[in-house]
Amino acid sequence: MKQMKIVKWIALALLALLALRLSFYTENLSEKNRREAMSRYNPEELVVAMMRDSLSALEQRALPLAQWQDMLQKDPQTLASTHARRLGIGSPLFYMIRAELSEVCLVDDEYLRAFAEGVEIRIPITYIFGNTARDASGWFNIDDFRNTMDFNAVSAAMNDYIAEKMADFRLPEQASLRVLGAVAIPEDAVRLERLELIPFVLEP
Amino acid sequence: MKRLILALLIIPLLLTGCGGERAQQTKSKPKIAVVISTLNNPWFVVLGQAAVERCEALGYEATLFDSQNNPSKEADHFDNILASGYQAILMNPTDADGSAVNAKAASRAGVPVFCMDREINLPGACVTQILSDNYSGCISLGQYFVEVMGRKAKYVEILGLVGDNNTWARSRGFHSVVDCFEGLEMLAQQSADFDQNKAMEVMESMMQAHHDIDAVFCGNDAMAMGAYQAILGAGKAGKIKVFGFDGADDCVNAIREGKVEATGMQFPKTMAETAATLADRYIKGERNLPKKMPVAVELVHRKNVAQYGNFGKIQD
């Protein structure tokens, strides 16, 4: 009889817990912010929201340059399937990578040139190719936009955002930097001596 | 007695007739309509023909409709198509907003629509939109334009149809690069509706108004060829550099011959074949299809032109 009572109370407690769980709706905060920003559709605002909410996740997702290079040479298919993002048919592969840059210098007021893991890295200043940042971030889904013009406006906004940050950037004396950025490479590339990188974070 | 004999003769004939019709109906192939914005441009002919061929290879009867760049003509085609038992429509829209109404009507009637090359501003009205990544393509073209023209030049732009999103995607992609360089000055910008003859007239009037044009950027190859004809007629061939977009054969050949500087290859066959394949999958019951599918555009210029022809890559 006592056992029956215990079972009954446990069952009631479980039911109460279930009812409590179903009465709450939980959602990832950055996903909620993303959805809200999308519903308002303001490209500049979307880019600010993306930079505010996703940098730490992008940092975690980004591969160290040495590891990325190693995988690219040894097993490009696995690298592509596990880490690349792409946009449709024939698209380049977009990756987030991080690296420690050395020998950083400014060339013709157009780009920063640096070296990391034996690769020449170029960070454009005059013109920043927005699609690489947009598509490597994985934050924007083309299906969420009314048309491709709206989708591309995000690229332009991202381009402006990064260009503005780069305009404020002053090359430090020690000329070594840490970078988190996006790259786009052709699907069949296995070895690259030079890499154009669009910076999300560039700091001493 | 005569009536009885007559009835005995007629009834089997009627039965055979009906049965024959039924058998024919059973045997007839399911139908897919291919509605193209205009067949007055070789690029769209290739798009339409490739779609028809792919549908036929998949076992459908495919019919090609020409909207003649006219949304009301397109609406007439849709009325006929919806009344004629087609199972899917592969559409190359005439207008991003105007064609949306037609796609919505088809969708309401339970006929799935797949857009090719051009998009509509009502994504829910079609199953999938297979589109060239015009913006990225024109960024590459803009970068090449800067490489060829240097940092200081005067140029004009000939736009396509102002109601088509591709027109603006191309123009904005190009300008997102070129406008970064103050020395590159745009003297004039005018629409020629993607039409070769109109582009020739527009270029002629632009050359009369501006005597110092160094280059012209055209929103498609037909207009690039029209602009080139005007430049040739004015004796300025070689002095005004021409840049197009599409990857049409005559333009690719013009690049080979040094008449045109560059174009963006759009791969119409890939788009058409993908649309037909997705329609087939949809008809067979698959519903988890992407809403938008961009197709990458490749830059074609004098150094790599040998790799391109026949509206794609030669090894394709």
Side-chain angles (χ1 to χ4, degrees):
Chain A
M1 194 63 185
K2 197 178 176 183
Q3 276 178 337
M4 278 297 285
K5 257 189 179 176
I6 290 169
V7 170
K8 203 169 139 187
W9 277 111
I10 288 172
L12 276 171
L14 283 173
L15 272 172
L17 278 173
L18 186 68
L20 199 65
R21 171 70 186 86
L22 291 175
S23 64
F24 284 99
Y25 170 69
T26 55
E27 187 183 8
N28 180 299
L29 184 62
S30 66
E31 176 54 29
K32 180 178 174 286
N33 289 341
R34 192 189 80 88
R35 203 162 33 78
E36 281 178 5
M38 286 297 301
S39 66
R40 285 192 295 275
Y41 186 68
N42 174 323
E44 289 77 23
E45 201 183 295
L46 273 172
V47 170
V48 170
M50 181 254 156
M51 288 292 183
R52 182 190 63 216
D53 295 338
S54 69
L55 269 189
S56 59
L58 289 175
E59 188 97 45
Q60 283 180 349
R61 210 186 82 210
L63 283 175
L65 180 61
Q67 187 188 341
W68 180 80
Q69 259 190 306
D70 189 51
M71 284 185 81
L72 186 65
Q73 283 172 29
K74 289 179 183 162
D75 192 357
Q77 284 181 340
T78 304
L79 176 69
S81 63
T82 52
H83 292 94
R85 292 185 184 265
R86 63 164 68 213
L87 187 74
I89 301 168
S91 148
L93 301 174
F94 300 101
Y95 293 95
M96 289 300 301
I97 57 173
R98 52 193 153 94
E100 301 292 330
L101 306 177
S102 61
E103 301 174 55
V104 187
C105 63
L106 184 64
V107 180
D108 299 333
D109 278 334
E110 265 188 39
Y111 60 91
L112 289 176
R113 190 182 64 200
F115 291 89
E117 310 295 340
V119 180
E120 184 187 332
I121 307 280
R122 288 190 178 185
I123 299 174
I125 291 172
T126 310
Y127 169 69
I128 297 188
F129 182 15
N131 284 8
T132 302
R134 180 194 68 191
D135 297 333
S137 77
W139 209 73
F140 303 100
N141 180 357
I142 190 171
D143 287 348
D144 293 339
F145 292 83
R146 191 174 71 103
N147 57 36
T148 47
M149 285 203 292
D150 288 355
F151 187 53
N152 291 328
V154 171
S155 275
M158 198 166 228
N159 196 3
D160 292 343
Y161 181 95
I162 299 173
E164 203 175 301
K165 293 276 175 204
M166 289 303 290
D168 295 338
F169 180 77
R170 295 286 170 266
L171 198 61
E173 279 180 15
Q174 68 268 30
S176 66
L177 298 166
R178 183 185 83 86
V179 68
L180 166 72
V183 295
I185 62 165
E187 196 174 11
D188 55 358
V190 287
R191 192 183 189 88
L192 295 156
E193 286 169 1
R194 189 197 295 163
L195 208 52
E196 187 174 279
L197 187 144
I198 312 300
F200 283 56
V201 175
L202 187 65
E203 58 190 18
Chain B
M1 188 62 189
K2 273 183 185 174
R3 278 183 186 169
L4 184 66
I5 293 168
L6 202 60
L8 284 171
L9 282 170
I10 287 171
I11 288 167
L13 272 175
L14 281 173
L15 285 173
T16 317
C18 292
E21 198 179 335
R22 201 173 297 130
Q24 208 173 356
Q25 275 175 0
T26 319
K27 276 181 191 172
S28 68
K29 292 175 178 176
K31 296 190 290 183
I32 291 182
V34 180
V35 186
I36 300 293
S37 61
T38 174
L39 294 177
N40 196 25
N41 175 333
W43 194 91
F44 290 108
V45 174
V46 171
L47 183 79
Q49 211 55 52
V52 166
E53 282 167 20
R54 183 69 180 160
C55 288
E56 286 173 351
L58 289 164
Y60 296 91
E61 182 190 324
T63 315
L64 191 60
F65 296 86
D66 179 6
S67 304
Q68 297 170 10
N69 268 338
N70 182 348
S72 61
K73 185 96 182 162
E74 185 184 83
D76 291 343
H77 289 326
F78 267 68
D79 287 344
N80 291 334
I81 289 162
L82 297 183
S84 307
Y86 283 87
Q87 299 220 355
I89 302 170
L90 310 185
M91 170 166 69
N92 167 240
T94 52
D95 185 278
D97 291 312
S99 301
V101 181
N102 298 330
K104 198 174 178 182
S107 178
R108 276 186 182 157
V111 180
V113 178
F114 296 81
C115 285
M116 302 183 289
D117 173 53
R118 292 178 178 175
E119 71 180 331
I120 54 169
N121 288 333
L122 195 63
C126 54
V127 179
T128 305
Q129 307 200 55
I130 302 113
L131 313 162
S132 275
D133 192 352
N134 291 287
Y135 186 80
S136 296
C138 281
I139 284 174
S140 303
L141 204 62
Q143 287 170 321
Y144 188 71
F145 183 90
V146 176
E147 199 181 313
V148 171
M149 302 308 298
R151 303 297 169 86
K152 197 168 167 58
K154 290 178 178 174
Y155 70 96
V156 291
E157 180 181 4
I158 304 182
L159 298 164
L161 288 162
V162 291
D164 178 23
N165 289 358
N166 287 353
T167 297
W168 300 110
R170 289 171 196 178
S171 181
R172 284 174 190 160
F174 177 78
H175 282 285
S176 73
V177 179
V178 174
D179 292 358
C180 294
F181 302 92
E182 285 176 7
L184 295 172
E185 185 188 350
M186 186 168 74
L187 299 171
Q189 183 189 51
Q190 203 175 322
S191 166
D193 296 343
F194 289 132
D195 185 88
Q196 184 162 344
N197 293 332
K198 281 185 191 169
M200 194 168 87
E201 288 166 17
V202 166
M203 191 66 202
E204 280 167 355
S205 67
M206 281 172 162
M207 284 190 295
Q208 280 165 9
H210 305 280
H211 298 283
D212 50 353
I213 302 171
D214 299 311
V216 54
F217 167 59
C218 303
N220 79 347
D221 282 346
M223 296 194 297
M225 295 315 292
Y228 177 76
Q229 282 173 340
I231 292 165
L232 192 66
K236 291 187 173 181
K239 288 176 189 158
I240 300 177
K241 297 189 188 306
V242 182
F243 295 80
F245 192 88
D246 265 352
D249 258 6
D250 54 352
C251 193
V252 171
N253 288 334
I255 293 171
R256 223 168 255 136
E257 291 160 8
K259 296 172 182 169
V260 171
E261 293 300 318
T263 187
M265 177 60 72
Q266 283 201 78
F267 304 103
K269 291 177 189 171
T270 303
M271 279 189 274
E273 287 164 7
T274 306
T277 305
L278 290 178
D280 176 53
R281 283 164 55 184
Y282 187 91
I283 290 166
K284 287 174 178 161
E286 194 173 334
R287 290 293 178 270
N288 191 20
L289 298 174
K291 286 184 199 165
K292 289 202 186 94
M293 200 180 260
V295 178
V297 172
E298 292 182 17
L299 180 70
V300 183
H301 50 75
R302 290 184 190 176
K303 286 178 193 162
N304 70 0
V305 69
Q307 298 171 34
Y308 297 92
N310 195 21
F311 297 86
K313 265 196 163 166
I314 283 173
Q315 62 263 38
D316 290 344

